[in-house]
Amino acid sequence: MAVFALRFDFRNPAFAGTSMGERYAAALDMVEWADERGFFMVTLSEHHGFADGYLPAPLQFAAAITARSRNMGVTIAAIPAPLHDPLHLAEELAVLDLLSQGRVNVVLTNGYVDTEFAMYDVPMRERVGRTVETVETLRKAWTGEEFEFRGRTVRVTPAPFQKGGPPIILGGSVEAAARRAARIADGFMPSNPDIWEFYRDEKVTLGEEDPGPYFGGDTGFFHLSNDPDRDWDRIAPHALHEVNAYGETMARAGTAGVGGYASVTDADALRAGGQYRVITPQTLVAELKAQGDAAFAILHPMMGGIPPELAWESLRLFENEVLPNL
């Protein structure tokens, strides 16, 4: 059976012509639509101070999602852990887990955007240590018992809905992140699927069960259309905005080419690369059937600021011409 997910990051460049309020409202309608059609989860991302309005507070938006859905999981992918107070994060996630009745997963990363660290006055050299401290703190906090935190005795209440709290997954794009996730986390979400094998290797080295092949998405995007050539021209500005916004920040961080995005100036070259596609419903059906039991697709309907009305065109084709044929 195919598994489907939604993703939102709420980039809203000026050329999109959509207010942020309209975009948020549309996303909640899409969540309700997806929940009714058996989608597995919705994923939210987090960044701070981006000119295009990238979502800075995913936990608050996740709470709204839990009120508009009944079955879908909510994954925060990812929270740059060094930018958060670990105790405050433990409390917020516990409340969100209770609101959702245990439908929350959290992905933590070290972060990579220099302007965010400057905004929060956090030294980038402390990234790994702060992420490890956050993982340790969340685990202790979610027991509901007292524990030592930075030299003082603290207690976080209420306890989460899930015993021991939501699963803690680490994200990353390099080998060190993969091996660290194997040692201290409940799972790993690579931005570059190629490094999954380092995670598997570390798990086996530790004497733990082999997690098997990578099952998840990548940075690819698709928009459904019955006229792909026509609609590529409508999608291309948004694809260029996303790939270049990510590409520029990753280049500054030294992860260009391994973090899933690299800047591109030409729309035709971007289309030829295959990371961003406008395809027919029939093409998607064939691809999902070819994947067999491992069929998985992430729908990012408002990628790069795609207006809600254009996003709905793709979703309606998915509903009417993809789902009935699987």
Side-chain angles (χ1 to χ4, degrees):
M1 173 181 284
V3 176
F4 304 113
L6 278 182
R7 180 180 172 229
F8 299 107
D9 58 20
F10 297 106
R11 288 189 184 275
N12 193 33
F15 70 81
T18 305
S19 74
M20 192 61 82
E22 291 170 332
R23 198 168 291 282
Y24 283 177
L28 291 176
D29 289 341
M30 292 173 186
V31 163
E32 188 170 355
W33 171 90
D35 190 56
E36 291 172 350
R37 284 152 187 82
F39 275 53
F40 174 65
M41 70 176 179
V42 56
T43 297
L44 300 173
S45 301
E46 174 183 337
H47 277 300
H48 300 270
F50 279 30
D52 60 11
Y54 202 116
L55 183 64
L59 300 186
Q60 285 83 340
F61 202 88
I65 286 175
T66 66
R68 290 287 293 271
S69 61
R70 292 292 177 267
N71 300 303
M72 291 172 66
V74 184
T75 297
I76 316 299
I79 296 173
L83 305 183
H84 291 265
D85 176 88
L87 290 181
H88 190 199
L89 185 61
E91 291 176 328
E92 288 195 316
L93 285 168
V95 171
L96 179 60
D97 195 50
L98 288 162
L99 282 171
S100 70
Q101 302 255 314
R103 289 186 280 142
V104 174
N105 293 289
V106 57
V107 181
L108 302 179
T109 64
N110 297 333
Y112 65 93
V113 183
D114 53 354
T115 55
E116 293 180 323
F117 282 80
M119 177 178 175
Y120 279 89
D121 194 27
V122 174
M124 292 191 74
R125 65 179 180 275
E126 298 179 3
R127 287 181 297 171
V128 173
R130 286 175 178 253
T131 298
V132 172
E133 180 193 42
T134 299
V135 173
E136 294 172 348
T137 302
L138 294 180
R139 294 200 190 284
K140 293 175 182 177
W142 289 338
T143 66
E145 304 297 328
E146 291 185 345
F147 65 100
E148 294 299 310
F149 177 76
R150 297 180 182 175
R152 59 189 189 273
T153 301
V154 298
R155 183 183 183 190
V156 168
T157 60
F161 182 89
Q162 299 177 76
K163 186 176 181 180
I168 300 172
I169 303 163
L170 290 186
S173 58
V174 297
E175 178 181 348
R179 295 191 182 279
R180 186 180 308 114
R183 294 193 300 270
I184 69 172
D186 298 313
F188 180 53
M189 181 179 286
S191 55
N192 174 11
D194 292 342
I195 64 172
W196 176 260
E197 292 306 312
F198 296 122
Y199 176 73
R200 290 183 69 182
D201 178 71
E202 190 71 15
K203 279 290 190 184
V204 172
T205 299
L206 293 170
E208 299 181 22
E209 183 178 356
D210 183 347
Y214 179 59
F215 177 73
D218 53 23
T219 57
F221 163 84
F222 67 85
H223 176 90
L224 295 178
S225 169
N226 284 324
D227 189 344
D229 289 333
R230 177 201 67 194
D231 284 335
W232 170 253
D233 292 336
R234 303 166 75 193
I235 294 299
H238 304 282
L240 283 169
H241 176 77
E242 178 181 83
V243 75
N244 288 324
Y246 276 129
E248 289 168 9
T249 54
M250 289 183 174
R252 289 203 312 270
T255 59
V258 297
Y261 297 91
S263 296
V264 178
T265 58
D266 181 78
D268 291 336
L270 183 61
R271 187 181 190 185
Q275 184 177 10
Y276 294 85
R277 301 188 300 154
V278 179
I279 59 176
T280 66
Q282 293 75 26
T283 296
L284 181 60
V285 169
E287 291 177 356
L288 291 170
K289 286 185 175 180
Q291 292 176 30
D293 292 339
F296 176 70
I298 297 178
L299 283 68
H300 189 183
M302 293 191 286
M303 177 277 301
I306 290 173
E309 58 272 19
L310 179 53
W312 274 115
E313 289 181 21
S314 178
L315 294 180
R316 293 304 183 196
L317 287 173
F318 184 86
E319 175 183 1
N320 297 322
E321 299 187 30
V322 174
L323 287 179
N325 291 300
L326 294 177

